[in-house]
Amino acid sequence: MTDPDRVTALAACWERWAELGAALTEADWRRPTRCDGWDIEALFAHHAGYPIALRTRPAEAPGGAVVTAVDVLRGYNVPGSPEVEQVAAAVADGARRQVTALGQERLLAAFAEDARAATGWLAETPGATIFPWQGGPASIMLAEALRIALMEATVHLYDLQHALGLPPDAPASAAAETARLLAEVPDSAAFIEAASGRSEDPVLPVIR
């Protein structure tokens, strides 16, 4: 998938979020999701962080270690790691706090106004451009950051649809790119052996 294709797929995913959000009733906002401890409003608050953060183009990173999407996902999903558990708890708590801080109107605006602003500059920026990764010491190429944002938009769109009693229905390009990324996270040999029915060693899930 090319970088412009990823931006197009991300925009299409966020449009689905906007459409579903606009139809939510007050009772819908309170529906539980399969993300532990999150109702639909908390799920919106969590993923809205992407279009809100990407509304404004960040300053480019001059150098330093450059991570890939796979590096990031592997780092966040080390089995049994206390640090990973702490990060997961912090992300969950942050989503619940954002519900209070932003409110439903702002959450819906994230997938309309902020999403349009974000995909505007993303579409015009070369994928090889390097930006800081979440304010830490590492940096990331825009193409790799797009892979993460698209995966998050797709996986959590499925979470939203599941909570609403709907079948999983993401744009085909977003689903295919997400599947490709997730297949890269486990050890390649272990994944091939398990996927081809030649091993019963647990490989999935690769993300929490």
Side-chain angles (χ1 to χ4, degrees), residues 111-137:
F111 294 99
E113 300 166 14
D114 296 291
R116 282 195 297 270
T119 54
W121 74 262
L122 287 169
E124 298 172 354
T125 305
T129 307
I130 296 176
F131 295 107
W133 175 246
Q134 294 191 344

Side-chain angles (χ1 to χ4, degrees), residues 50-64:
Y50 277 85
I52 290 173
L54 291 171
R55 178 185 178 91
T56 303
R57 175 186 170 122
E60 295 181 25

Side-chain angles (χ1 to χ4, degrees), residues 32-202:
T33 73
R34 56 190 178 184
C35 297
D36 190 29
W38 288 2
D39 58 13
I40 283 180
E41 192 169 17
L43 182 67
F44 259 84
H46 169 68
H47 189 58
Y50 277 85
I52 290 173
L54 291 171
R55 178 185 178 91
T56 303
R57 175 186 170 122
E60 295 181 25
V66 179
V67 296
T68 67
V70 171
D71 293 333
V72 171
L73 295 182
R74 286 176 177 168
Y76 280 159
N77 294 278
V78 178
S81 167
E83 292 80 7
V84 169
E85 295 298 328
Q86 291 169 5
V87 170
V91 169
D93 289 342
R96 289 187 285 266
R97 287 195 300 272
Q98 283 292 82
V99 166
T100 301
L102 297 177
Q104 294 171 7
E105 184 176 344
R106 183 67 186 89
L107 293 178
L108 294 177
F111 294 99
E113 300 166 14
D114 296 291
R116 282 195 297 270
T119 54
W121 74 262
L122 287 169
E124 298 172 354
T125 305
T129 307
I130 296 176
F131 295 107
W133 175 246
Q134 294 191 344
S139 303
I140 193 167
M141 287 176 56
L142 177 61
E144 295 294 305
L146 279 171
R147 297 188 81 195
I148 295 172
L150 185 53
M151 182 274 297
E152 288 275 337
T154 303
V155 170
H156 287 313
L157 176 60
Y158 287 167
D159 290 332
L160 173 59
Q161 290 165 336
H162 180 270
L164 293 170
L166 302 172
D169 182 25
S173 56
E177 179 69 356
T178 296
R180 279 190 290 268
L181 173 56
L182 294 182
E184 292 177 33
V185 176
D187 174 77
S188 296
F191 179 77
I192 292 169
E193 290 278 279
S196 61
R198 287 162 172 76
S199 169
E200 294 183 359
D201 291 340

Side-chain angles (χ1 to χ4, degrees), residues 15-25 29 44 108 160 164:
E15 286 174 6
R16 298 275 179 97
W17 278 84
E19 291 166 1
L20 290 171
L24 292 176
T25 66
W29 284 104
F44 259 84
L108 294 177
L160 173 59
L164 293 170

